[in-house]
Amino acid sequence: VRPPYPADRRDLVVSINAVLAFDGRDRLGDVDVPTLVVGGTDDLFFPESILRETHAAIPDARLALFHGARHGPFLEYKAAFDRLMGRFLDGKLD
């Protein structure tokens, strides 16, 4: 069984540094596809303020916040997340 982390942990550091260095906020207004911004209210990496800022910057985007969820609402609230995604993909999200 393979461990749940990169074989060379330096790869993880490179990935994290790339994420922290990238800022695409100036391009969010160009998004022209249906967009659902999803996150947890207790996420330490992408706090609610960033989720709301992202939602506000993307035309016609939807926002779904999972109250109490941290960085993995897709696992922490799996059933609710799956229902939400199904509704979004079916075009039935109000």
Side-chain angles (χ1 to χ4, degrees), residues 47-86:
E48 185 176 343
S49 60
I50 289 176
L51 299 171
R52 290 187 181 281
E53 176 184 331
T54 301
H55 166 252
I58 299 174
D60 301 316
R62 305 285 186 181
L63 175 63
L65 295 173
F66 285 84
H67 293 279
R70 295 176 303 276
H71 194 58
F74 53 91
L75 292 175
E76 297 169 72
Y77 294 88
K78 183 175 179 4
F81 180 87
D82 290 350
R83 281 191 304 275
L84 172 72
M85 291 308 299

Side-chain angles (χ1 to χ4, degrees), residues 86-94:
R87 289 178 41 227
F88 176 71
L89 294 172
D90 287 340
K92 296 179 181 176
L93 194 60
D94 296 339

Side-chain angles (χ1 to χ4, degrees), residues 33-56:
V33 296
T35 303
L36 177 61
V37 178
V38 180
T41 58
D42 294 348
D43 189 333
L44 297 178
F45 299 104
F46 297 100
E48 185 176 343
S49 60
I50 289 176
L51 299 171
R52 290 187 181 281
E53 176 184 331
T54 301
H55 166 252

